[in-house]
Amino acid sequence: MSLLKLLGVLLDYPQDELWRHGDELLAAAADPGLPRPRREDLRRFVRDLLETDALLAQDRWLSTFDRGRSMSLLMFEHIHGESRDRGQAMVDLIGVYRKHGFELAARELPDYLPLLLEYLAHRPPE
């Protein structure tokens, strides 16, 4: 699992699958591309999350990301707010995803940060 994919998983709403893949998450957090202090911080964060009860982790996520626009994980909400430009930006982003063979599930908004990180994880680094 790439570091970008890991970050997307960690930002996404914590579901039971997260705990089933704990070893993979810890392995990805040991990415040698990170400076050692950041790597240790990330591994500690993942370990703490995996040791947290799922319902508590979900409540924390909701308290952080689902309580208003300032912490929204929908990028275009921060960029475009409620303007019409937001809709066109989403259409354009879907086009970028499709151009590179990345299809969205019907329930996903294209500007959801964990989804964007997953897309970027499949792209060449440059």
Side-chain angles (χ1 to χ4, degrees):
M1 174 182 305
S2 77
L3 187 56
L4 289 172
K5 172 71 175 170
L6 171 65
L7 294 175
V9 167
L10 294 175
L11 281 171
D12 201 1
Y13 182 78
Q15 299 182 34
D16 292 340
E17 186 176 322
L18 184 129
W19 285 269
R20 287 194 298 269
H21 296 280
D23 291 340
E24 289 175 58
L25 299 175
L26 284 168
D31 186 308
L34 284 175
R36 189 167 192 245
R38 296 292 72 88
R39 190 170 53 236
E40 290 172 2
D41 289 343
L42 184 57
R43 286 183 56 81
R44 187 176 315 108
F45 178 85
V46 172
R47 273 194 308 275
D48 290 348
L49 178 59
L50 293 173
E51 292 171 0
T52 303
D53 175 74
L55 290 176
L56 180 57
Q58 292 166 348
D59 182 59
R60 286 179 181 166
W61 188 95
L62 289 170
S63 295
T64 302
F65 297 114
D66 204 34
R67 299 281 192 252
R69 294 175 62 187
S70 68
M71 292 295 291
S72 175
L73 293 175
L74 299 172
M75 296 182 325
F76 293 153
E77 191 164 315
H78 299 283
I79 298 168
H80 299 293
E82 298 298 321
S83 79
R84 286 185 207 194
D85 295 340
R86 184 175 180 194
Q88 186 59 53
M90 286 198 197
V91 170
D92 294 344
L93 185 54
I94 290 170
V96 170
Y97 287 157
R98 287 185 176 152
K99 177 181 173 186
H100 296 104
F102 192 77
E103 287 296 324
L104 305 180
R107 66 172 185 83
E108 297 172 320
L109 291 174
D111 65 332
Y112 184 56
L113 184 56
L115 176 67
L116 177 65
L117 290 167
E118 181 177 345
Y119 164 74
L120 292 173
H122 290 91
R123 301 290 305 141
E126 63 277 351

